[in-house]
Amino acid sequence: DSGVTQTPKHLITATGQRVTLRCSPRSGDLSVYWYQQSLDQGLQFLIQYYNGEERAKGNILERFSAQQFPDLHSELNLSSLELGDSALYFCASSPARTSGGEQYFGPGTRLTVT
Amino acid sequence: AQSVTQLGSHVSVSEGALVLLRCNYSSSVPPYLFWYVQYPNQGLQLLLKYTSAATLVKGINGFEAEFKKSETSFHLTKPSAHMSDAAEYFCAVSGDFGNEKLTFGTGTRLTIIP
């Protein structure tokens, strides 16, 4: 158990819908990262937050957005869903904004868009 | 841009045999390199990390990796494979301060033959 929690574990929804994925980092970790894992794209970095502020952006679509709240939990919002958005979405956390720090991954949310 | 290349998307070894999973990196110095393991339907678990303190890095479950700058490699090894080692293994690289996101390789699926 990494200490990172993600809800829900599974999500099935229809095209065009909007969903929210939730992540609680390890106690004391200030950085939260979101990654997408799909068969065709592999593991891709989406976005990073540090202590409530956006820190870095990766290959995140404009239909996707995220935020980190004062209690440090984070939410990833996916809207106007398409079939290609079906994937595993991971959240990871790390203690601080320092070089070489390992990231601890949650169990993931499996999103299926039908 | 930083990247890692994993040679061999599938590797099969007999139980008790040497495990060798290959990873080559492309990065400015210093690279921070990681190996993660993903068991079916689970998140990613950190096996080990290289952050320039020592070129031979020991990780969990008997795995180790050697950083070779001249070969730009960070191969993962284990002297004797166990059935429980069957999983997908990812090599990853992160950058210096301000660029902490993980960039993953395409993964290597390890199968253990009884």
Side-chain angles (χ1 to χ4, degrees):
Chain A
D1 185 355
S2 67
V4 178
T5 60
Q6 289 186 249
T7 56
K9 193 172 173 99
H10 300 278
L11 202 47
I12 302 174
T13 189
T15 54
Q17 295 298 306
R18 172 188 169 95
V19 297
T20 297
L21 312 184
R22 182 187 169 102
C23 167
S24 292
R26 296 187 322 156
S27 177
D29 284 1
L30 298 179
S31 269
V32 169
Y33 306 77
W34 286 97
Y35 293 87
Q36 179 194 59
Q37 184 179 32
S38 62
L39 283 175
D40 52 346
Q41 302 272 359
L43 270 161
Q44 299 265 329
F45 167 72
L46 294 178
I47 197 164
Q48 176 196 1
Y49 278 83
Y50 175 77
N51 203 20
E53 295 187 2
E54 182 183 302
R55 174 67 188 151
K57 245 180 177 176
N59 299 324
I60 188 165
L61 299 171
E62 285 191 13
R63 301 184 285 109
F64 295 1
S65 64
Q67 55 184 325
Q68 186 179 28
F69 294 88
D71 67 352
L72 300 178
H73 91 271
S74 177
E75 292 180 357
L76 180 67
N77 300 296
L78 315 177
S79 61
S80 302
L81 285 168
E82 301 174 359
L83 295 177
D85 298 328
S86 296
L88 255 176
Y89 292 84
F90 287 110
C91 166
S93 72
S94 66
R97 199 176 62 185
T98 57
S99 304
E102 59 266 36
Q103 295 177 24
Y104 297 89
F105 282 75
T109 293
R110 183 173 294 279
L111 173 66
T112 303
V113 182
T114 62
Chain B
Q2 299 168 311
S3 66
V4 288
T5 301
Q6 291 185 243
L7 302 175
S9 57
H10 290 87
V11 170
S12 296
V13 302
S14 298
E15 192 175 13
L18 171 73
V19 175
L20 171 60
L21 305 182
R22 300 176 187 273
C23 173
N24 288 89
Y25 69 89
S26 172
S27 171
S28 57
V29 176
Y32 300 103
L33 294 162
F34 306 82
W35 276 99
Y36 282 85
V37 61
Q38 184 178 26
Y39 298 101
N41 300 313
Q42 293 188 28
L44 288 91
Q45 181 182 9
L46 179 68
L47 277 177
L48 51 80
K49 69 172 183 179
Y50 168 76
T51 55
S52 77
T55 56
L56 183 62
V57 181
K58 293 189 183 298
I60 62 171
N61 301 339
F63 285 94
E64 63 182 37
E66 186 172 7
F67 175 76
K68 290 188 177 180
K69 186 176 177 180
S70 60
E71 299 176 8
T72 60
S73 69
F74 190 57
H75 301 333
L76 182 71
T77 60
K78 181 173 179 178
S80 177
H82 294 168
M83 295 301 295
S84 60
D85 295 327
E88 186 135 24
Y89 292 79
F90 292 93
C91 181
V93 63
S94 73
D96 214 333
F97 183 75
N99 185 23
E100 302 99 345
K101 71 176 190 293
L102 290 170
T103 301
F104 288 91
T106 50
T108 298
R109 183 167 299 278
L110 177 64
T111 300
I112 310 299
I113 304 166

